[in-house]
Amino acid sequence: MTSSNGAVPVTIAITRRADPSHAREMIAWMRAGTTLAEEFPGFLGAGWVRPGPGSVDWHMLYRFADADALRTWEESAQRQWWLSSAQGIVEHARTERRTGIEGWFDPPQEHSVEEARTPAPPRWKQAVTIWLVFFPLSLLANAVVVRYLAGAPLVVRTLLSTLCLTPLMTYLMLPWITRRLEWWLHGRPAPWRTARR
């Protein structure tokens, strides 16, 4: 449906992720966002749905009368404050924007999907994570080399130790430590803290 001035309504669908233990905070946060958006000209409505009680995904839907009204909301200080208020709890996963007759349910005139990429952790955290597995593996490799290859030339000892350590680090130890420290790398609360709630 097009308005009298030719503007086409825009519907935005956003998938956000949050730990199931933060369900109450998520509901309050989404209601707060809707309340703020209601004050903006061109706001036509909003809603949210969750696939199930234990799901980490929250699907939010909101609609504005046209692209200008949407842009005013998206660039507003109120929205920036609202988004920043959920840092450490909410992770943005996916945004889908549709315009057209009835915007969402009919074939769109325009359709764009934006997948959110998780930002890379700070380099110092990456370095610490690598060191946490590199140090014990290097220690073990040096102990083995001293014991069994003490008489071998330095180049041979280095070659053998790096041939063993590289696949161990790449395929086993780094994925293992990254999974365990994922919360810390991305600045989220420790799992044992959220489990107590």
Side-chain angles (χ1 to χ4, degrees):
M1 183 171 162
T2 306
S3 67
S4 56
N5 64 0
V8 179
V10 184
T11 303
I12 303 293
I14 300 176
T15 301
R16 289 188 166 98
R17 294 194 179 109
D19 190 288
S21 66
H22 293 294
R24 287 183 182 166
E25 293 97 321
M26 273 299 288
I27 292 167
W29 181 72
M30 288 186 291
R31 285 179 180 158
T34 302
T35 301
L36 287 171
E38 283 171 351
E39 301 300 316
F40 282 74
F43 177 75
L44 299 177
W48 56 270
V49 67
R50 192 177 178 203
S55 175
V56 297
D57 289 331
W58 298 75
H59 304 289
M60 302 175 69
L61 192 73
Y62 58 92
R63 187 166 167 84
F64 280 83
D66 55 44
D68 288 339
L70 172 64
R71 190 177 308 107
T72 301
W73 160 245
E74 288 184 330
E75 294 175 357
S76 69
Q78 292 93 324
R79 181 173 179 269
Q80 299 312 313
W81 171 84
W82 174 65
L83 291 174
S84 67
S85 69
Q87 281 186 342
I89 297 174
V90 179
E91 178 184 325
H92 183 84
R94 185 175 194 261
T95 299
E96 188 167 357
R97 178 182 309 233
R98 287 193 176 206
T99 58
I101 301 170
E102 296 308 319
W104 189 250
F105 300 101
D106 292 342
Q109 293 174 2
E110 296 174 26
H111 180 202
S112 65
V113 176
E114 176 188 320
E115 296 286 346
R117 293 192 174 99
T118 305
R123 287 190 180 245
W124 71 269
K125 286 189 175 184
Q126 295 178 46
V128 168
T129 304
I130 292 168
W131 179 84
L132 285 172
V133 290
F134 185 70
F135 174 72
L137 277 179
S138 296
L139 199 60
L140 179 65
N142 281 318
V144 168
V145 164
V146 165
R147 183 166 186 161
Y148 298 105
L149 299 171
L154 177 62
V155 172
V156 173
R157 290 190 315 239
T158 306
L159 175 67
L160 289 174
S161 64
T162 54
L163 279 173
C164 293
L165 290 180
T166 302
L168 266 176
M169 284 284 291
T170 305
Y171 297 108
L172 185 65
M173 299 308 291
L174 278 176
W176 177 82
I177 194 73
T178 302
R179 279 193 302 273
R180 269 140 196 86
L181 294 180
E182 192 267 341
W183 59 272
W184 176 72
L185 286 165
H186 295 286
R188 290 195 283 272
W192 57 87
R193 287 187 182 167
T194 56
R196 285 183 201 157
R197 295 189 175 206

